[in-house]
Amino acid sequence: MTKPLDIVDEPDERRDNRTPIVLGLVAGLLLVGVIIAFVLLFTRQTGDPEPAPDEAPGQSAPQEPTTEEQPAPEETEAAPDAEVAVNGVGFTITQADGTEFSHRWADPAAPAIEALSELFGSAPTEDFQNGDAENWAYDIYVWEGFRLYDVFLGDGGRSRDEVPAPTYVAVTGSPAEVGIVDEFGVAVGDSIDAVRDLGPIDEVGLSGGGVRLVLGNNRGTFYNDGKRAFNAFVESDAAGQTVASITYTFRARGQ
């Protein structure tokens, strides 16, 4: 019969020595956990901040629009759609639709009167200029800022071919709805000094005050060669300061 093994108890000294080792291991594990927690916390606090909920990554917050006060645009006067352009040999009418009509000084006046009435939108008022021993008589057709003169021969039997200026014109204003263009760029109301800067071929004083400046070289030669190329006669106001009228006609020098 087998003899049962005797159970031998461990001595109290050995159990007492093992207890501090176990406690040391537990304390070490706790210390490691604490260190890891601090490292994670420190890393999160010093890392890149997370974007705000309403701001997507890679996008900046919308900027408030800046409003700078802009200077008001300068108002410019619109150029007229229709005009009459005058030069030494006649004038050309351009209607608003682009239709053109040209008149030369020896041409009959009736077609020009019709075209000018259409241009200005009304029939002209009429006037008359008496003739004398040195000057021809003329029927005058008047619109705002513009006059057309047509020679009046009466019953004398004279021919238009004998007249240096069968028709001629005078610009007396600047109507808003129609542009009146002079070949030299002169307009009623301009400074007389500005006309002098163009180099007129003559300047004479007027009996009522003011001056007359003559523009255009080698013109007014009708009695020499039969050509009707007129000078521009620019007359000032009585004070001699501004342009009052521009007349294209035939005049002997000094008239």
Side-chain angles (χ1 to χ4, degrees), residues 11-62:
D12 293 335
E13 292 87 355
R14 183 176 292 183
R15 286 199 303 267
D16 293 340
N17 291 335
R18 188 177 295 174
T19 299
I21 294 173
V22 174
L23 292 177
L25 289 173
V26 173
L29 291 173
L30 291 174
L31 179 61
V32 171
V34 171
I35 291 172
I36 292 173
F38 273 106
V39 170
L40 291 175
L41 179 62
F42 179 77
T43 302
R44 184 167 184 176
Q45 289 178 347
T46 58
D48 294 334
E50 295 182 1
D54 57 350
E55 182 181 337
Q59 295 182 350
S60 58

Side-chain angles (χ1 to χ4, degrees), residues 135-159:
N135 298 289
W136 303 88
Y138 283 89
D139 290 310
I140 309 173
Y141 301 90
V142 182
W143 295 267
E144 181 187 359
F146 195 85
R147 290 171 169 251
L148 173 65
Y149 294 74
D150 181 35
V151 67
F152 178 78
L153 297 174
D155 298 326
R158 306 293 295 270
S159 168

Side-chain angles (χ1 to χ4, degrees), residues 4-9:
L5 295 176
D6 294 333
I7 298 173
V8 181
D9 294 331

Side-chain angles (χ1 to χ4, degrees), residues 59-72:
Q59 295 182 350
S60 58
Q63 300 294 322
E64 290 291 334
T66 58
T67 56
E68 295 183 2
E69 186 175 348
Q70 300 294 330

